[in-house]
Amino acid sequence: MDGTLGLLGGTAGGGSGGGGGSTTGSASTVSKEDNLVMSSEVSSPYPDETELELGLGLSLGVGGGGLGSNSKLAAAPWGQYARILTAKDFPSLVSKSSSTSSSLVTKANSSTAGTKRSASDSPLNGASQVVGWPPLRTYRMNSLATQAKAPTAEDFSSPCEENESKNAVVDRTTSGSNKNPHNAKEIFFVKTSLFVKVNMDGVGIGRKVDLNAHNCYENLAETLDDMFFTPTTTITARWSSVEENDVMTEASGPSKLLDGSSEFVLTYEDKEGDWMLVGDVPWGYVASSCYDIYVSAL
Amino acid sequence: MVPDPKRCNSCKDSASSRDSPEWTRPSAFPDEVLDRVLSLMESHKDRSSVSLVCKDWYNAERWSRSHVFIGNCYSVSPEIVARRFPNIRSVTLKGKPRFSDFNLVPQNWGADICAWLAVFAAAYPFLEELRLKRMAVSDESLEFIATSFPCFKSLSLLSCDGFSTDGLKSIASHCKNLTELDLQENVMDDLGGGWLSCFSENFVTLEVLNFASLNTDVSFDALEALVTRCKSLRVLKVNKNITLEQLQRLLVRAPQLVELGTGSFQQDLMPRVYAELESAFNNCKNLHTLSGLWEANFLYLPVLYVASASLTFLNLSYACLTSSELANLVAHCPSLRRLWFAVIIVSKTEVLDTVEDKGLEAVGSSCPLLEELRVFPADPFDQDIVHGVTESGFVAVSRGCRRLHYVLYFCRQMSNAAVATIVQNCPDFTHFRLCIMNPGQPDYLTNEPMDEAFGAVVKTCTKLQRLAVSGLLTDLTFEYIGKYAKNLETLSVAFAGSSDLGMQCVLGGCTKLRKLEIRDCPFGNAALLSGLEKYESMRSLWMSACNVTMNGCRLLAKEMPRLNVEVMKDDESDDSQADKTGSGHQYKIPVMTELTCTQILKIASLETARK
C-alpha cells in the first residue's frame, strides 16, 4: 500500500484542517463544558450544563471573560476566515492597500522573529505536503531553513575552498569589528526563510511557499502553478470536472494567475487582516507583510 | 498509606481543624512534624498524594503549598486554585495543545493568561514567579504583571504568543526585584531592543536573562552595564546580534556564568581579540551549558575548548557545523550529558549521507556520559536532499553512550533492525521520539512496516514515559504499545495505524497514559468512545484529521459531562456550494466519510486532586 497516498486520501482536508489561517469554511466550537472540578471535596459552584450547544459560533477561550463565565466571545478574529472569498470582495479591499502599505514596512522584521503566522506550516517535503509536518516549531524551522541554504548557486565554493577562505579570514588584520566577514560560509546564511501558507479554493490541503525564495510575482506565480496545477491523484480528484478541464489546459505556458485569464486569482492576507489582490503593491511589501496566500476561484 | 481510623474520626469532628484558631485536638502525629515534612516536599505529585490521605492532611498540604503546577489551563478555574491554595508564590501554567506549535490550532483559540492574572492579583499579591507555556499573553497582561505584584521575581515564557517588546518594557521598568527573564521561542512582535534599556541603573538582582530568540538589537552599552551590575547573573543568553567581540566584553564582566548563550559566532577577529576571547572563556570556571553559536565559524570554536571540558549541555542547533567540525568539538567535551544539534548540508555533491553520521559516531566515542541527544533535520524542506543522518548515526551513538535515555531524532531513513539494536544498547530510554520525516515510510531495508521497531522499544525500555512514533505503522505497533508500555505517559502518533483497534489498544493498555496526541490516523468514533473511562485520568487528548465525527464527539460529551470536549471544525473541504454565512453561525455537519471531513478534536480532561 502506498502509505502516503492512502493516508492523504484518508485525511483529505486533514492538512488544511489545522491551518488556523485557512480562509474558507466556517469554524465553530462546541461550547465548553464548564463544570470542572478538582476533587469531590472542593465542589464547583458552576451551573450544571449538560447540554451541548451547537452552532453558536465560536467560543474562543476566555479572553477577558474568564473561564467561569459562559459567555461566548465574539467570533470576529476567527470569523474573517469563515468566508469564501470571491473576486467581488477584492475591489473594496484593494483600495486599502495604499494606506496599509506604510505600516507594513515597519513591521517587516518581526516577521522573521519566529512568528507563526507568517511561517505557519511545514513546507513541502517530498510526498508529505501537509500542515504542521515535520513537527518542528516555527522558530526552529526558519532557523534550519536558513542554515541549510546550501550552495545551489554556481559561485559558491566547495568545502575545501571554503576552508581556505576561512583561513584567510583569520590572517587578515582588519580593524574594528566586522559583522559581515566575507567567508564563504556566511553567504549561505544571509537570508532567512519566510514561509507562508497557501490555500486554494476547493483544495483541502494547504501548502507552503517560501516568499524569500522568490524575488518577484512571476516567480511566485510559477511556483504556485507548479504546486496547485500540477495534477496529482488526490488533488484532481477533488476538483469539479468543469474546473479541471479549464485548468488542465492552462497548465502549460506561463502562469495565468497574474494576468487574470485563469479561473483563479491570487490573493494574500496582510498583517492587518485585510485581503489584498496580489500584484497591486510592490513585491517587497508583500514579501515582508504577507501571512497567507489564497488562490480564489472567480 | 492507610490513615489511622482514630485520626480520621477526629478529622470528622473538627471540620477544618487547620483553619480554626483553637487547636485542642490531640494527635499522635504532631502537626508541626507534618508541616515540617511538607515544607520539604516539592514534587506536586507527592503533594497530591499527601492531600488524599485524609482531610487533615489535605488542609495541611494546601496551606503549605507555595508552587502550583497546572498542566492544562482549562482543567481548572483560577478561582478554584485560589480557593484551595492560599499561599502560592509560584505558578506554572500550560495552555494550548502541543500541536499548536505546528499550527494545527486556530489563532485566538484561547489560553489567555489575563483571567488568571485577575484572580492572582487578588489572591496572591505576593506572587513571585510565573512560568507559562503556550499561553496567550498580551502586552497589557505583561504590564499588569509588572504593576500588580510588587514581589515579582521570575518570568518565563516558552512558546507563548500575543505580546511584543513593549510588554517587556513594562517588566523591565517596574519589576525591581526581578531575578529571571526567560524568553524562548515565543511568537511575539519584536519592535526593537529598547526594552533592555528600561532596567534602571539601580537594578542589580538579575540572575537569568534569555533573549536569544529576539531579533532586534539591544543597546550593547545597556547590556554591558546590566551584566556588570548584576553580580548574581548565572544564565545569560544573548541574541545573534551580539558579536564575538561584544561577547568577550560580557564574559569579562561575568565570569561566574553557569549557562551561556552566545551571539553570532563569526566575525573577523584580530589575533589580539581572539586571544582575549579565549582568555575570557578560560576564566569562566563554572560554565556548564553553552548555546547560541549562530553560524559558528569553526576557526573560532577552539576558543571554547578551554571551557568545554566541563560542559554538560551543548546546544548546537543554530551553529551550522559540519560533521567533522562537530566531531572536533565534541572530542573536547568528555563530560557532555546533553547534546542538541542540527545537521547541515555542506555540498550537494555528496552522494551518501554518511557524512552526517560521522559526527554522531564521534559523539558516540567522545561522550560516554551522554544522556540526551536531539538531532534536528537538515533542511526540512528540500525534498531533493537525501542527506542528513541515517540510522547508522543513531546506532553509533547508542554503542558509545549507554546512558542515553532521552532522544529526539529526525531522519530520512530507518530500519527495524537498527532500532532493535539501539534499544538493546540503551535499554534505559525514558523518552524516545523518532521522526522519520516522510510520513508512512516503511523500513528502508525490508520495506516492511516499522512495527517491530517500536515493538522493540516498548518491550525493552520498561521505563519509557514518552514515545513518538513515525514511519509506516499498522495496528500491531499499538498492540505492542498497549501491551508493554506500562509506564507510558505521553504518546504522539501521526500518519499511522490501520483501524480503531490501534487506538483502543493504547487506551486500554497504557495504564499511566496522560497525554495522547493523534493526527492523520484512521481512528474513529469506536476508538474515541472506547476511552471513556480512561479520559478522566488523562490530561488531554488531541485528534485531528482522523475519522471521528461530530456525533462521536456529541456522544462523548454526553457520556462524560465533566469532560471538556472541544471541536474545532473546518468544513473547507466541503466544497458544495452551500451558502456559508459570516461568522460560522451556520455550518453543515457533514455525514462523515473519511474523505470529506476535516476535524480537529481536542479533549481536555479534568485534573483531579490527586494530580
Side-chain angles (χ1 to χ4, degrees), chain A residues 9-10 33 38 42 120 123-124 145, chain B residues 58 103 108 381 437 561 594-595 609:
Chain A
E33 190 53 68
M38 279 182 76
V42 183
S120 37
L124 316 185
Chain B
Y58 175 88
N103 296 281
N108 301 314
F381 316 132
M437 309 247 309
E594 67 180 48
L595 293 179

Side-chain angles (χ1 to χ4, degrees), chain A residues 245-290:
Chain A
N245 290 338
D246 286 340
V247 173
M248 294 288 270
T249 54
E250 290 174 14
S252 58
S255 167
K256 303 280 203 306
L257 281 170
L258 290 181
D259 60 16
S261 62
S262 93
E263 294 289 309
F264 293 83
V265 66
L266 272 184
T267 62
Y268 74 94
E269 190 208 3
D270 70 6
K271 285 193 189 185
E272 317 272 301
D274 299 321
W275 285 95
M276 321 279 265
L277 202 57
V278 161
D280 282 340
V281 292
W283 171 254
Y285 286 166
V286 172
S288 66
S289 70
C290 139

